[in-house]
Amino acid sequence: MPDNAVPRLTRTAASMRPPAPVRAVHLGLGAFHRAHQAVYTMADPDWGIAAYTFRNTALPRTLTEQDGLYTLQVRGDGEPRAEIVDAISRAHPGGDTDRWLADLASPDVALLTLTITEPGYRTGGPGSAIDRVVAGLRGRHRAGGAPIALVPCDNLPDNGGVLRDALTAATTEDDTAFRAWLEEHVSFVDTVVDRITPAATDEDAATAARLTGFADDAPVVTEPFSEWLLSGQFPLGRPAWENAGARFVDDLAAYEQRKLWFLNGAHTLLAHTGPALGCTTVDEAIQHPTLMALTESWWDTAARHAALPEDDLRDYRQRLLQRFASRGIRHHLLHIAVNGSQKIPARILPVLRAERSAGRVPEPAVAALAGWLIHLRDREVTDPRADELTALARSGDGARRVLAAVDSDLADDTTLVSAVDDYVDHLRAAGG
């Protein structure tokens, strides 16, 4: 190593505590987990995480070389700040099946958290996240059946219930003993998670080294804001996540709705209309007069059907504007636009249905659907239904056919279909 080289980040070099005993397992090792659940878990030194990826082998190898450590760089509008996160005791590639099964069978492991993206809860079969969880739980059942809490951390309403249903569907009805154990000894915790975490760049790695004095090949970049709301039982205990700001509530439904409609819905609106108007990131889009007006109109529309008090929604909207406008986080619109067939039904359509029931045609919802249609027609599409949807969008009756693929009742709404078609032309004209 040259004399002027920055030392590699390790526990010895950084004088960090030894790895905590593994009491939690995580599936879906990536930037969001490392900016969110791992940071909350770091607040309790008695809990270590064994984190597993899917097919990625480079990241767990890098984290293993760094003793599980990485730099969390928090970027707002001023100088970024950095901290070293040490909650991950072990990192494993997806192919490390024997260790996965051993960890989930261990009675020392009290919980499993998941960040497997929205489609991961709807896709079963060999090699899928659901298949891996079922295999791990079967092993735990055979090894003595210690209770465990499952904590999904993806943007789905009632995500604990969705995970329960997915696991039940993946088991055979004649496997009565295992099904009974799932019902009696496995707790499904509902959560609302929130922290914008874009992909880190080489420049971010250089900044992390400057701020900490250590070279980090797995840095994470995130915003100052973070939220975690949980509702459910933890039969073998849990980390003191509240020490890092997590909140435990009896009913998450109103908070799930707020996040899905106001944050995620606005992101989806901007992700599909912004590129049509020449914008590439959220901060650029929210500065565009047309997109800013659409976002405010979307929030006004969603507020008519939201369950939380007006003051709560007003405060939340103000915080969202600050987060969206921050230039410290360059959140790319086309990254947000992935998996539209999963996101639009949860984020846009509930409000749209309520508006149509009231006889209104809400412009921002129409704009989001028109932008999605343009995206399906003109861009490379990442979506579990990409082939189906791009073919439908490019057909002669694209708006109606795409709507039929996500909601047959809306597809029969000729006023709405006509409005979406007209708005496609409007966006194209406005974008030149």
Side-chain angles (χ1 to χ4, degrees):
M1 178 182 291
D3 291 342
N4 62 349
V6 178
R8 180 70 175 270
L9 177 60
T10 64
R11 291 183 187 261
T12 300
S15 300
M16 302 293 285
R17 62 195 179 191
V22 170
R23 300 185 64 194
V25 175
H26 181 78
L27 180 59
L29 173 59
F32 180 73
H33 165 66
R34 290 184 289 138
H36 195 271
Q37 299 96 47
V39 176
Y40 284 88
T41 302
M42 187 171 65
D44 192 329
D46 294 330
W47 288 73
I49 300 169
Y52 288 80
T53 62
F54 290 91
R55 297 175 179 84
N56 188 325
T57 58
L59 177 58
R61 184 186 310 119
T62 297
L63 287 173
T64 298
E65 292 170 353
Q66 296 181 178
D67 298 328
L69 303 181
Y70 58 91
T71 307
L72 182 76
Q73 187 180 150
V74 181
R75 302 182 68 94
D77 290 325
E79 174 72 4
R81 59 179 176 84
E83 65 175 321
I84 296 170
V85 180
D86 68 350
I88 294 178
S89 298
R90 291 191 269 107
H92 300 277
D96 199 347
T97 303
D98 290 343
R99 197 60 185 268
W100 163 260
L101 295 175
D103 276 339
L104 280 186
S106 170
D108 295 330
V109 168
L111 59 93
L112 168 66
T113 56
L114 305 95
T115 49
I116 58 177
T117 75
E118 291 96 326
Y121 296 84
R122 299 182 174 91
T123 305
S128 68
I130 296 302
D131 180 68
R132 294 183 189 198
V133 174
V134 169
L137 293 177
R138 285 189 187 279
R140 191 176 184 90
H141 178 227
R142 289 192 296 267
I148 190 170
L150 271 53
V151 189
C153 300
D154 290 287
N155 288 317
L156 288 167
D158 184 30
N159 51 17
V162 171
L163 178 59
R164 179 193 294 107
D165 292 345
L167 295 181
T168 301
T171 63
T172 58
E173 291 190 8
D174 59 351
D175 195 353
T176 54
F178 178 59
R179 282 195 167 207
W181 177 78
L182 281 178
E183 181 69 27
E184 295 172 10
H185 297 286
V186 178
S187 169
F188 294 87
V189 179
D190 289 317
T191 69
V192 173
V193 298
D194 191 1
R195 197 169 206 186
I196 296 171
T197 309
T201 65
D202 291 342
E203 181 181 351
D204 295 323
T207 301
R210 174 176 63 82
L211 293 173
T212 66
F214 298 102
D216 180 2
D217 290 333
V220 177
V221 177
T222 193
E223 63 172 332
F225 180 88
S226 183
E227 184 174 63
W228 198 5
L229 305 172
L230 304 98
S231 179
Q233 303 300 314
F234 296 84
L236 289 187
R238 59 168 178 78
W241 288 324
E242 64 272 19
N243 290 347
R247 289 191 290 157
F248 296 84
V249 300
D250 293 331
D251 186 1
L252 281 181
Y255 296 99
E256 291 172 341
Q257 182 192 75
R258 182 190 68 176
K259 180 175 185 287
L260 281 168
W261 293 0
F262 286 78
L263 169 63
N264 302 130
H267 266 170
T268 293
L269 169 64
L270 294 174
H272 289 117
T273 56
L277 299 181
C279 298
T280 59
T281 60
V282 171
D283 62 296
E284 290 177 4
I286 204 64
Q287 302 297 330
H288 191 291
T290 298
L291 297 173
M292 175 65 173
L294 280 173
T295 301
E296 291 278 17
S297 177
W298 168 250
W299 288 336
D300 289 341
T301 303
R304 287 199 285 264
H305 310 285
L308 288 172
E310 183 179 340
D311 289 348
D312 183 293
L313 297 176
R314 186 184 306 112
D315 176 69
Y316 192 65
R317 289 173 60 162
Q318 186 59 41
R319 284 185 289 159
L320 287 179
L321 279 178
Q322 294 171 353
R323 296 168 68 191
F324 286 7
S326 173
R327 295 187 59 81
I329 294 293
R330 309 309 302 275
H331 203 182
H332 287 268
L333 296 172
L334 292 181
H335 177 74
I336 301 170
V338 304
N339 299 328
S341 69
Q342 306 290 334
K343 295 175 178 178
I344 284 175
R347 302 176 177 189
I348 302 296
L349 298 191
V351 174
L352 176 56
R353 292 188 197 99
E355 286 290 288
R356 292 303 292 134
S357 294
R360 294 185 289 265
V361 183
E363 181 186 3
V366 170
L369 291 173
W372 187 35
L373 206 60
I374 292 172
H375 179 80
L376 293 172
R377 288 171 175 170
D378 295 355
R379 302 187 185 96
E380 183 177 348
V381 176
T382 300
D383 192 288
R385 301 172 65 183
D387 292 343
E388 170 199 1
L389 290 169
T390 54
L392 293 175
R394 294 165 186 167
S395 66
D397 193 12
R400 186 187 63 79
R401 290 175 179 268
V402 169
L403 274 173
V406 292
D407 189 310
S408 58
D409 290 339
L410 291 178
D412 294 333
D413 185 338
T414 56
T415 300
L416 175 63
V417 171
S418 178
V420 172
D421 275 328
D422 290 346
Y423 217 94
V424 168
D425 296 336
H426 172 70
L427 285 174
R428 291 195 185 281

